[in-house]
Structure formats: structure tokens, C-alpha cells
Amino acid sequence: MPEVLTQTAPARVESTGKAMITSARIARRVHALGRQISHDYSGIDTPLVLVVILKGATVFAADLLRSLSIPAELEFVRAASYGSGTTRGELRLAHMIDGPLVDRHVLLVEDIVDSGHTVAAITRRMRRLRPASLRLAALLDRPARRAVPVTIDFKGFVIPDRFVIGYGLDYAGLYRELPGIYSLG
Ligand code: IMP
Ligand code: MG
């Protein structure tokens, strides 16, 4: 089960310096997810394909990959919104996927599901590639602003309605290097 955080988390990284989620807590949870994923996919006869959503999910994916005890391949997609004036649902997807995904077991790896638009759009595209299965691992779930329904098959933490940084998540491209997760406001 994902760990559910309450609204009592510290408000500002610069005023408290206290992590919403410490690196030790993240490590424990990611290892548990790795064990669960390895167990759930133990019967498949091809390596699991982790499709990592750039850039925020890279840190999570690196730790998750090393928590697996089953063979896994690593691929990447990048989602970018079209220029200004378009709706959020219109995403341009850059694939960095070497082989065909047809009949492969694919696990999307995302840092945080917020409105759900990003993951919903990527999922729609991935289904066209006819994988044998398609599931989602997300380190963080922030359900407060969900606009489209998303099923998160492997979930790290449920967080309150605060913007967060660290462990791969950025604010204006920065703070990805922080080992824990901090609230910005
Ligand atoms: P969604 O499409 O609204 O679900 O947004 C998901 C994407 O927005 C994620 O892939 C993140 O890159 C980014 N994002 C959403 N919330 C945060 C946050 O609190 N910190 C950093 N990035 C975020
Ligand atoms: Mg992202």
C-alpha cells in the first residue's frame, strides 16, 4: 500500500529545511515497490520494459531498476506541450525506444501524477504499440488536482496539494539533485 501523507507536512524548504519525505523513507518504499513489481511480473517470459518519462522520473527509475530481481530493459519517452495557446491534452511525444513494444510487458515509470493528463496521453500512445501489458509505476500521487482518471498500479506515496521538488522533481529545472522530497509552498 502507498504511504499517505497528511497536510501537516512542512510548508517551505527554505524555512524549515525539513523533508516532506526523507531519502531513507524513499529508499525503503522504492525497494518495496521493486519487490512487488518483481513478484507481480515473475511469470513473464520476456524482460520487463521500463519506459521512463523524462526528465523527472529518472532518479526514481534508476533506484527502482536496481530494486528489481527480474530482467528489465530501460527505454525513455519525453512529453512536451506544444507551444502556447494549445490545450494541456495536446502533447508532443519523443520516443527513445530501441525495439518494438509489440507483445512486450511495459511498465511506465513516472515521478508524479497530478492532473493525470501527461500519463493519460502517453498511455494512449503506448497502447497503439500493442504491448502485451501496460501498467504504471508512479513515485508520487497528488490526487487533489486530478482531471482525468488514472490507474496507478504501483504507487510510492500519496501527497497533499503542494508543489514538490527533489529526487528528480524540479522547479524551473532545478533541485532535482536533492536526495529527499521537499514542499515548495
Ligand atoms: P500532470 O500531467 O498534471 O499529471 O502532471 C504531471 C507532470 O507534471 C509530471 O510529469 C511532472 O513532471 C510535472 N509535475 C507535476 N507536479 C509537480 C511537482 O509538484 N513538482 C515537480 N513537477 C511536477
Ligand atoms: Mg514529468
Side-chain angles (χ1 to χ4, degrees), residues 54 56 110-111:
L54 294 173
E110 177 60 308
D111 50 3

Side-chain angles (χ1 to χ4, degrees), residues 11-27 30 55-60 63 111 139-140 163-185:
R12 294 191 155 274
V13 58
E14 60 272 32
S15 60
T16 68
K18 223 178 135 197
M20 178 190 274
I21 314 173
T22 63
S23 60
R25 200 170 163 194
I26 295 169
V30 172
K55 301 177 185 172
T58 51
V59 176
F60 172 43
D63 285 342
D111 50 3
L139 180 69
L140 304 177
F163 193 86
V164 287
I165 53 168
Y167 197 69
L169 290 104
D170 73 304
Y171 172 68
L174 297 175
Y175 307 115
R176 297 189 197 275
E177 74 281 6
L178 297 175
I181 289 173
Y182 296 82
S183 162
L184 260 193

Side-chain angles (χ1 to χ4, degrees), residues 35-112:
R35 279 195 300 274
Q36 188 189 343
I37 290 165
S38 302
H39 173 265
D40 287 9
Y41 287 97
S42 60
I44 66 176
D45 52 13
T46 50
L48 179 64
V49 185
L50 297 186
V51 174
V52 183
I53 303 176
L54 294 173
K55 301 177 185 172
T58 51
V59 176
F60 172 43
D63 285 342
L64 187 64
L65 178 66
R66 289 175 291 173
S67 300
L68 296 178
S69 54
I70 55 168
E73 296 174 15
L74 195 57
E75 304 288 357
F76 298 92
V77 291
R78 174 139 203 210
S81 304
Y82 276 111
S84 54
T86 56
T87 65
R88 286 210 59 177
E90 292 174 90
L91 283 182
R92 185 181 44 202
L93 276 196
H95 292 226
M96 281 147 267
I97 296 177
D98 286 335
L101 293 185
V102 59
D103 292 339
R104 299 298 301 273
H105 294 277
V106 173
L107 181 62
L108 275 177
V109 182
E110 177 60 308
D111 50 3
I112 180 168

